[in-house]
Amino acid sequence: MKKITTLIFLLSSLLSFAQKTSTITLTATKPDEGIVSLVLEDVHFHPNLGIGLADTRLEPLAMVNFKEKNSERVSTALSEPKIMRLQYSGGGVNKTWMLFIQPGDDLTASFAGNADVTFTGKNAAYQNFLKTYFLENQYQYLPFFGYKPSQIDNKSVAQQSDSLQKVRQTAYATFKTSNPPSPAFEAYVNATTTTEPFLIHRLLQEKIMRRNRAKKLDPAQQKELEDLTLSNFKILPDEALLSQSYREELRNWILIPTTRKFPLDSATRYELSPQAVTDVYNFSKTKLAGHPKQEEYLQTYWLNYAATAIPTIETSQTLLTDYKAKYPKSEYTDYFTKLLETKAKLTPGSNAPDFTLLDSDSSAVTLRNLEGKPTVMVFQFNIGAHEPSLKAMEAKYGDKVTFAYVTLISGMPFGSWKTYAQDRAGVKHLWASEDSAESLRQNYAVDIRYPFVVINASGKIVERWLPQEFPNNQSLEKAVIKAIGK
């Protein structure tokens, strides 16, 4: 018993050592009409309706209306440095500042009625540095650089971007002479400073190649852009994952050799093939062997891609077996296991999972209510999504099939939704609560790439993995004809 008590004490001590409370005080030093929010940008995979796992969780920590009170103290337990977004809205002004918060920080952000902020307290110097030299993302700099969307050549923009990079690098060298070094902060600054200017250069080069037209690049042009990435991107320490631009370019860089071996084409809607996903998963393991956090980040990312973007489950099962061996304590294993179990059940001829959704008149609608004729379930993540492209199909089969548009918009209240829901002949609009949406995610493996499910008159699945196809959704129509029994 004494040994167990000692073990519990040691575990508790380790946890308390690993996590420290960081405090941020938001205050208005004079009357202000602004609303200030603080959001934690946690680079951490989490389930997201429609895309499987999202690589960043945006966690609201506080929202303060300075009309109602002039101060709020926010505390959060951190075990490692995190990026936060401090957002101000008021008087027609909207601003966002990036904050670098470490475990144990005690920071005060003071607003003086002019939509600006002053930082004081422990490690305020980090915030003042970011405030001066870093906006939320590189594209916010384009208006300041004189970028003209209608203009093909924006040479001055590239020059301005290069100048900003030099200013940032010089400023950081000065910053380090009077502030304690933080490996995570240095990695974040270096990752953003080196990646963002390159992304702007590539944007401008692609604009020149396309001549301001919506056209596909030819193979030589595509290779030129890819070569820019291959020659410019450099792997930085694992803490660089704090930078969104770095994460995006890391994925792009690691993917190029694979897409050269397994080219993307319109026939597969430019999705990676099973062979390509397996290749990039293994390549990520090899290329990032000395960078464990980035290696695990990418392998989780590609496993998620295999489990969501590829209709069949063989590839994701193989990758998951390898993933379990490599990361036996991963918190994501259970998620992937359940997802693949769900996908295995959604086969033609299997019983469609039941659901309870709301019609615009507030009446509950279940799968049984729709039986009697085939149903096309359409998962919508935006109001009216897919409906314009399905109108011709509605007109053609509306007397034989029910088209059920299921709205899955997080945070949209029923009262707001029903003003947009206008049923037509052969069409029903249905609203999913947060709980119902989660149930659909678990039972139908909802994915934005495969928004359709065709169910026959007796409630059995005809086809589940039907992609959006422009302009005519031919695969969907074939499944509808099969459900009708023609």
Side-chain angles (χ1 to χ4, degrees), residues 106-139:
D106 191 351
L107 182 71
T108 297
S110 302
F111 293 84
N114 57 354
D116 200 0
V117 64
T118 301
F119 297 106
T120 55
K122 185 178 179 181
N123 288 326
Y126 291 106
Q127 323 318 326
N128 288 323
F129 177 79
L130 292 178
K131 171 189 170 186
T132 305
Y133 298 105
F134 290 79
L135 295 180
E136 186 175 3
N137 61 64
Q138 71 271 23
Y139 302 114

Side-chain angles (χ1 to χ4, degrees), residues 424-465:
R424 302 179 291 277
V427 171
K428 292 190 77 68
H429 287 89
L430 303 173
W431 177 82
S433 66
E434 295 290 337
D435 288 343
S436 296
E438 176 61 19
S439 178
L440 287 171
R441 182 184 72 80
Q442 293 183 7
N443 293 328
Y444 279 91
V446 174
D447 189 277
I448 199 168
R449 301 176 185 86
Y450 300 93
F452 310 127
V453 185
V454 177
I455 303 169
N456 69 18
S458 58
K460 295 188 180 297
I461 290 178
V462 177
E463 292 289 348
R464 166 63 188 96
W465 307 110

Side-chain angles (χ1 to χ4, degrees), residues 206-445:
E206 185 171 351
K207 190 178 183 65
I208 292 172
M209 288 178 173
R210 295 185 189 275
R211 305 294 297 175
N212 266 3
R213 296 172 185 169
K215 66 174 185 177
K216 188 176 182 296
L217 298 178
D218 64 40
Q221 292 172 324
Q222 185 65 36
K223 184 178 183 302
E224 182 180 335
L225 286 181
E226 291 175 350
D227 286 344
L228 281 174
T229 297
L230 293 176
S231 61
N232 280 274
F233 184 82
K234 300 292 184 292
I235 302 176
L236 295 176
D238 280 343
E239 290 83 0
L241 288 173
L242 285 170
S243 170
Q244 181 179 344
S245 60
Y246 179 83
R247 295 195 304 275
E248 292 174 351
E249 197 58 10
L250 172 68
R251 298 195 304 265
N252 182 43
W253 170 76
I254 207 78
L255 183 59
I256 289 172
T258 292
T259 53
R260 286 184 171 180
K261 286 191 284 184
F262 304 96
L264 306 178
D265 56 49
S266 58
T268 58
R269 301 171 305 285
Y270 299 100
E271 297 282 7
L272 298 176
S273 67
Q275 296 89 343
V277 176
T278 300
D279 184 80
V280 73
Y281 175 91
N282 291 327
F283 184 59
S284 299
K285 187 193 308 185
T286 302
K287 199 71 174 176
L288 292 163
H291 305 271
K293 286 187 178 180
Q294 294 179 75
E295 180 185 356
E296 184 173 2
Y297 168 81
L298 280 179
Q299 288 190 277
T300 305
Y301 184 88
W302 299 122
L303 174 56
N304 179 66
Y305 189 101
T308 55
I310 299 175
T312 55
I313 62 175
E314 291 78 14
T315 300
S316 44
Q317 285 176 328
T318 300
L319 297 186
L320 180 57
T321 299
D322 178 85
Y323 188 85
K324 286 179 179 179
K326 176 87 173 178
Y327 308 108
K329 297 182 180 179
S330 173
E331 62 187 290
Y332 310 119
T333 297
D334 187 55
Y335 168 83
F336 286 121
T337 300
K338 289 181 178 178
L339 174 59
L340 297 184
E341 288 174 352
T342 296
K343 291 186 71 171
K345 296 175 184 176
L346 298 172
T347 55
S350 62
N351 291 323
D354 201 2
F355 50 77
T356 301
L357 304 168
L358 288 184
D359 208 337
S360 56
D361 63 0
S362 300
S363 61
V365 176
T366 66
L367 178 60
R368 185 174 295 276
N369 298 139
L370 299 176
E371 290 179 2
K373 64 178 182 177
T375 299
V376 175
M377 283 181 63
V378 183
F379 299 126
Q380 295 183 314
F381 298 92
N382 294 292
I383 292 294
H386 309 295
E387 295 191 50
S389 64
L390 294 183
K391 279 189 175 180
M393 209 177 297
E394 286 178 20
K396 191 173 181 180
Y397 302 105
D399 59 333
K400 302 179 183 69
V401 175
T402 299
F403 288 81
Y405 294 95
V406 182
T407 300
L408 300 166
I409 303 178
S410 179
M412 184 172 204
F414 176 78
S416 300
W417 165 81
K418 71 177 183 179
T419 60
Y420 297 96
Q422 298 178 355
D423 290 349
R424 302 179 291 277
V427 171
K428 292 190 77 68
H429 287 89
L430 303 173
W431 177 82
S433 66
E434 295 290 337
D435 288 343
S436 296
E438 176 61 19
S439 178
L440 287 171
R441 182 184 72 80
Q442 293 183 7
N443 293 328
Y444 279 91

